[in-house]
Amino acid sequence: MNRLKNYAVILASGKGNRYKNPVPKQFEKIAGKTILEHTIEIFENSDKIDNIIIVITPEYEEFIKKLVNGGATRKESSSIGIHSIEEDEANVIIHDCAMPFLSQEIINNCIEALKTYKAVDVAIPSTDTIIEVDDNFIKNVPDRSHLMNGQTPQCFKLSLIKRAYDLSKNDSNFTNDCGLILKYGLDKVYVVEGDVKNMKITYPSDIYVADRLFQMKNIEYSEDLPLKGLKGKVIVIFGGTSGVGECTASLAKKFGANVYVTSRRSGCDVSEYCDVENFLKKVHEETGRTDYVINTAGTLKIGKLTERKIDDIIEDININYLGSINVAKASIPYLKESKGSVQLYTSSSYTRGRTMYSIYSSTKAGIVNLVQALSEELSDQNVRINVINPERTATLMRNNAFGEEPKGSLLEPEKVAEASLKILLTNLTGQVIDVRRR
């Protein structure tokens, strides 16, 4: 039996009456991209989605080239998107473009649920007390244990949702797609658990919240990714003679990769652009290609800013931050040829500076911003760049800074190495990838 295709229908026709801004909210920019672009990217990054349909009103054509003309209402737009699908049967995932934080986990769970159910909604438990009001007086306080806050996507078998829209052609009393299924008694609607981060941008103030969320946005890698794809790949690792870099090199070799390792100990200082450039050139002359470049070089020194020498501070910045810039810049010409990727490293301290190691924390925040910006700059050159964000890891560098810590409280560097290599084999770019002990 052939697998049903999964169609994402992104609704982007809304006029945003509550948003009250000359620019429709779906075209407002957050973190360098429009809200619509962020939402499209979510489905582009899904290996479960076969086709993406964007439904938008003709008056917004100036903002986007490939589209399906949308309707005047959400119902009309949904109907247009659904009826544009030519298959007799398919899975339809309808999503509001103003919700740009949808996770791959929710998409996967919805598609999995569609194997059993014909209609699937996404919701989270209600944490607020809901009151029913009549003429400014409370009429009823429903039992919160039976209430959930609805989100999107709403997902259906194509034949079922088409039937619902055919029945409701003359029905203007519309709430949402799942509501139609229930109203006409067509089927039950199964609920998949959503996420509080899957927020909808409705008011101008939501833009500021969303911007902060994008700054800290990160993902967790799939542990099911096989490493056999590394066979024959050329990998260059800076800072690869100890810690995470050394573990990464060892694991990559086990899976057949051609690994070239260097570090300051072996004569290559990442804070010196010429050192980085020369090593990459040497590898390329020997192999004829470079598929992946990893920079694990770093330094962590403890001390109050007022008590540290300026030369020592500059060295930290040069190794931790300038070093990442040097590696990224020098790698690009080679990775354009191979359509490869750069991988840098941050720390959990990037979200908020840590006392006694302010320089380290701030350079790690800078690396995240660097990766997010470069992913956009390099998108048309087929070069990917991501940043690994490991939990506190048992490395010599950390031990030298903090001394012995409780056994089991730190992440093993081998796990960081495994995650690092798996991310190289994905199409992800511009992402912060969390690696945790669990």
Side-chain angles (χ1 to χ4, degrees):
M1 182 177 177
N2 293 331
R3 179 182 71 84
L4 291 178
K5 284 189 175 181
N6 298 314
Y7 283 84
V9 177
I10 301 175
L11 305 181
S13 291
K15 298 184 183 297
N17 294 328
R18 288 174 291 181
Y19 188 67
K20 296 179 181 179
N21 194 297
V23 177
K25 63 185 176 185
Q26 55 268 46
F27 304 111
E28 285 275 17
K29 280 199 169 185
I30 304 176
K33 299 178 185 177
T34 66
I35 292 171
L36 177 57
E37 286 176 306
H38 282 296
T39 303
I40 292 171
E41 193 175 78
I42 292 168
F43 290 100
E44 285 181 334
N45 288 336
S46 171
D47 58 3
K48 300 288 194 299
I49 299 297
D50 299 295
N51 297 90
I52 300 172
I53 298 169
I54 303 165
V55 186
I56 199 165
T57 54
E59 65 187 282
Y60 296 156
E61 287 185 14
E62 61 183 287
F63 296 103
I64 188 167
K65 293 179 180 179
K66 294 182 181 179
L67 52 85
V68 173
N69 287 338
T73 64
R74 186 190 189 283
K75 178 187 174 186
E76 190 177 337
S77 294
S78 293
S79 180
I80 290 169
I82 290 161
H83 284 88
S84 72
I85 300 172
E86 296 178 352
E87 273 88 357
D88 292 330
E89 190 63 284
N91 293 326
V92 184
I93 294 89
I94 304 172
H95 189 63
D96 189 329
C97 82
M99 300 180 75
F101 296 101
L102 175 65
S103 69
Q104 296 298 325
E105 182 181 9
I106 292 176
I107 294 174
N108 294 343
N109 289 345
C110 286
I111 292 172
E112 185 64 28
L114 282 174
K115 293 178 180 178
T116 306
Y117 308 99
K118 294 181 180 180
V120 176
D121 200 357
V122 174
I124 57 174
S126 177
T127 57
D128 297 322
T129 298
I130 306 297
I131 59 174
E132 183 181 352
V133 177
D134 184 13
D135 196 23
N136 285 340
F137 288 94
I138 294 177
K139 182 179 179 181
N140 185 35
V141 181
D143 182 356
R144 192 171 62 191
S145 65
H146 298 294
L147 299 176
M148 300 189 80
N149 295 332
Q151 298 184 332
T152 67
Q154 295 182 319
C155 312
F156 310 90
K157 294 299 182 189
L158 177 61
S159 57
L160 180 70
I161 193 63
K162 274 188 174 181
R163 173 66 174 154
Y165 274 100
D166 289 343
L167 289 172
S168 66
K169 280 182 179 177
N170 300 316
D171 186 351
S172 59
N173 186 18
F174 172 78
T175 53
N176 60 32
D177 302 293
C178 288
L180 289 179
I181 303 299
L182 297 174
K183 183 172 184 177
Y184 292 98
L186 298 177
D187 214 314
K188 297 184 293 184
V189 179
Y190 181 75
V191 178
V192 163
E193 185 176 357
D195 191 323
V196 292
K197 290 181 286 189
N198 185 24
M199 65 172 285
K200 181 176 180 180
I201 296 171
T202 304
Y203 302 102
S205 59
D206 294 335
I207 290 288
Y208 299 103
V209 175
D211 190 53
R212 295 298 179 269
L213 287 174
F214 271 113
Q215 287 178 14
M216 298 184 292
K217 185 180 179 183
N218 47 34
I219 65 169
E220 294 185 357
Y221 73 101
S222 170
E223 297 189 10
D224 297 329
L225 288 167
L227 289 176
K228 60 184 179 181
L230 293 172
K231 187 174 182 180
K233 298 294 184 181
V234 177
I235 304 176
V236 178
I237 304 178
F238 292 92
T241 58
S242 65
V244 170
E246 184 178 25
C247 290
T248 303
S250 177
L251 184 60
K253 289 175 183 177
K254 286 181 181 178
F255 283 88
N258 300 313
V259 183
Y260 293 81
V261 170
T262 189
S263 67
R264 189 160 58 165
R265 186 187 305 169
S266 59
C268 182
D269 185 347
V270 293
S271 67
E272 297 291 339
Y273 185 77
C274 288
D275 284 5
V276 175
E277 190 177 40
N278 289 337
F279 188 77
L280 287 168
K281 183 179 179 181
K282 178 183 174 183
V283 171
H284 197 264
E285 287 174 347
E286 181 178 331
T287 63
R289 66 178 290 122
T290 302
D291 296 292
Y292 308 120
V293 178
I294 299 172
N295 180 35
T296 62
T299 181
L300 172 58
K301 297 175 185 175
I302 302 297
K304 291 182 179 179
L305 182 67
T306 54
E307 297 173 358
R308 294 188 61 191
K309 294 180 179 179
I310 191 64
D311 288 345
D312 195 41
I313 291 171
I314 291 172
E315 182 182 57
D316 279 5
I317 295 170
N318 286 344
I319 293 173
N320 289 331
Y321 186 58
L322 182 60
S324 291
I325 294 173
N326 288 341
V327 169
K329 180 175 173 58
S331 301
I332 291 169
Y334 305 109
L335 298 176
K336 282 170 65 176
E337 292 179 10
S338 64
K339 298 182 180 179
S341 66
V342 185
Q343 197 155 266
L344 305 179
Y345 288 77
T346 185
S347 152
S348 58
S349 64
Y350 87 88
T351 58
R352 182 177 176 80
R354 302 289 199 268
T355 182
M356 300 299 289
Y357 51 108
S358 57
I359 304 304
Y360 179 82
S361 298
S362 57
T363 59
K364 293 304 180 179
I367 289 171
V368 171
N369 277 267
L370 177 70
V371 166
Q372 291 168 336
L374 288 181
S375 69
E376 295 181 38
E377 290 183 22
L378 300 172
S379 61
D380 61 348
Q381 300 179 54
N382 294 311
V383 177
R384 304 182 306 283
I385 182 167
N386 293 293
V387 57
I388 304 296
N389 178 33
E391 200 173 15
R392 297 174 305 145
T393 307
T395 61
L396 180 61
M397 181 179 76
R398 183 174 180 89
N399 183 263
N400 288 340
F402 296 103
E404 291 295 327
E405 296 178 86
K407 189 176 181 180
S409 66
L410 301 178
L411 181 65
E412 292 300 323
E414 290 81 7
K415 181 160 185 178
V416 182
E418 181 183 6
S420 301
L421 292 172
K422 287 182 175 181
I423 293 302
L424 292 178
L425 297 171
T426 71
N427 292 321
L428 293 172
T429 189
Q431 300 298 321
V432 182
I433 293 93
D434 284 342
V435 185
R436 298 288 178 256
R437 279 177 294 156
R438 58 154 183 76

